[in-house]
Amino acid sequence: MCRYQRRPWPCHQSTGLAEPPSLSSGINAEYGGIKPGTDVGELSELAPSLEVCLVMTVEPGFGGQKFMANMMSKVEHLRKNHPGSNVEVDGGLSPATIEQAARAGANMIVSGSAVVKASDARAVITQLREVVCRYLSTK
């Protein structure tokens, strides 16, 4: 299923999807998101009208799940076909998995458990951000 919503920030859905803050349209952001079982084509069709394209790399619903690296082909598809879009990845992101997401083309990430459970959350956030920024600077 492809989710498409326009709502004021912050708003958290019972599915575990969190909406990103607005990027350019005041207090609202238009975004679409897909679960692991959804074909990327459903989101790709909407991408030109979205501010954020979200690829879930775990099944939504609870934290601490293992990162699904096979979802990176969806991120790569979105980055290749919609180079100006924001591509967000949510699920299982940590210092061990961030490089895969950034290399595939994600420029926005959501990391829950890796940050919350870290002894130094600030250091983990910095590390995740630096990896994404390094890949963005090469594009």
Side-chain angles (χ1 to χ4, degrees), residues 110-130:
V110 176
S111 181
S113 297
V115 173
V116 173
K117 294 179 179 179
S119 59
D120 186 351
R122 185 179 301 262
V124 171
I125 292 168
T126 298
Q127 182 180 4
L128 298 174
R129 181 181 295 130
E130 286 175 353

Side-chain angles (χ1 to χ4, degrees), residues 60-77:
F62 62 94
Q65 296 179 63
K66 185 177 178 187
F67 177 77
M68 300 169 108
N70 59 331
M71 296 298 107
M72 293 304 93
S73 62
K74 295 178 182 186
V75 174
E76 290 167 350
H77 172 89

Side-chain angles (χ1 to χ4, degrees), residues 42-127:
E42 289 188 39
L43 184 56
S44 191
E45 289 176 24
L46 294 172
S49 64
L50 300 174
E51 290 184 69
V52 178
C53 298
L54 169 66
V55 176
M56 292 298 297
T57 50
V58 298
E59 287 297 336
F62 62 94
Q65 296 179 63
K66 185 177 178 187
F67 177 77
M68 300 169 108
N70 59 331
M71 296 298 107
M72 293 304 93
S73 62
K74 295 178 182 186
V75 174
E76 290 167 350
H77 172 89
L78 290 167
R79 180 56 58 221
K80 178 182 176 190
N81 293 290
H82 309 285
S85 295
N86 287 295
V87 180
E88 181 178 48
V89 176
D90 182 353
L93 288 155
S94 71
T97 59
I98 189 62
E99 186 121 5
Q100 293 173 71
R103 185 180 322 114
N107 65 317
M108 296 175 70
I109 61 161
V110 176
S111 181
S113 297
V115 173
V116 173
K117 294 179 179 179
S119 59
D120 186 351
R122 185 179 301 262
V124 171
I125 292 168
T126 298
Q127 182 180 4

